[in-house]
């Protein structure tokens, strides 16, 4: 029967086993890869970043006419918490409570699923933001943004 033989058993060595080397280059010696696209190109921003920018653009558009929106916190969440309703909400709002600011939440994935293009997504995001702000302020969406529903 064969017994396992430790490596280099014929030449005893006083050196400890070498630790793995840190790789400084890829295996072909060309160096580390750079970014796929430079930062100024739209390809470099993620879908979540692009969506967040759409929400911020919508809020900035509304803040010109409604300065009290500066006190509202606008959030983007991936999906709504599980609900037992038949329809999935596109957004939600919560009034201010005990030191917490009022909040408006836009749910990214349901909005993306319901829109086909970037322009359509921008319109839908703005409608969701207008509806939630109107709910918080106790107004109709048309009074918050006169162009609501016309686009």
């Amino acid at each position: 029967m064969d017994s396992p033989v430790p490596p280099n058993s014929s030449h005893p060595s006083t050196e400890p086993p070498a630790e793995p080397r840190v790789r400084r280059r890829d295996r072909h010696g060309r160096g580390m890869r750079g970014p796929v696209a430079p930062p100024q190109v739209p390809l470099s921003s993620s879908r979540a970043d692009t969506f967040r920018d759409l929400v911020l653009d919508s809020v900035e558009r509304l803040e010109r006419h409604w300065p009290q929106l500066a006190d509202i916190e606008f959030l983007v969440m991936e999906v709504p918490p599980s609900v037992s309703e038949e329809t999935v909400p596109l957004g939600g709002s919560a009034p201010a409570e005990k030191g917490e600011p009022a909040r408006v939440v836009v749910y990214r994935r349901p909005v993306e699923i319901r829109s086909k293009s970037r322009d359509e997504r921008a319109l839908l995001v703005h409608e969701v933001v207008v509806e939630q702000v109107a709910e918080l302020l106790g107004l109709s969406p048309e009074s918050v943004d006169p162009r609501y529903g016309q686009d």
Side-chain angles (χ1 to χ4, degrees):
M1 181 166 187
D2 293 332
S3 62
V5 177
N8 291 336
S9 62
S10 61
H11 301 290
S13 174
T14 58
E15 296 179 29
E19 293 185 24
R21 291 184 297 155
V22 177
R23 188 176 265 182
R24 301 265 185 236
R25 295 178 159 266
D26 68 340
R27 67 185 186 148
H28 297 289
R30 294 186 203 117
M32 299 301 289
R33 295 180 75 182
V36 174
Q40 64 271 18
V41 178
L43 176 66
S44 68
S45 48
S46 67
R47 289 188 321 186
D49 291 339
T50 305
F51 191 86
R52 188 190 71 239
D53 291 342
L54 290 175
V55 172
L56 290 175
D57 290 344
S58 179
V59 171
E60 288 173 3
R61 207 165 110 186
L62 291 176
E63 278 182 338
R64 292 183 204 134
H65 302 289
W66 299 93
Q68 63 265 43
L69 295 184
D71 299 333
I72 298 175
E73 185 177 26
F74 291 87
L75 305 169
V76 174
M77 293 180 67
E78 290 292 311
V79 293
S82 60
V83 290
S84 60
E85 300 174 18
E86 289 181 16
T87 60
V88 176
L90 302 178
S93 62
E97 296 177 352
K98 300 179 188 170
E100 294 287 324
R103 289 191 174 118
V104 169
V105 180
V106 181
Y107 301 115
R108 184 175 72 88
R109 294 296 297 145
V111 170
E112 285 179 338
I113 289 171
R114 286 178 177 80
S115 56
K116 294 181 178 86
S117 67
R118 179 172 164 43
D119 293 335
E120 192 176 316
R121 188 171 303 121
L123 289 172
L124 187 55
V125 164
H126 185 67
E127 284 185 4
V128 171
V129 170
V130 168
E131 290 169 359
Q132 299 308 317
V133 166
E135 185 176 321
L136 276 177
L137 299 177
L139 301 169
S140 68
E142 293 81 12
S143 61
V144 172
D145 184 9
R147 295 185 296 172
Y148 173 79
Q150 295 178 3
D151 296 327

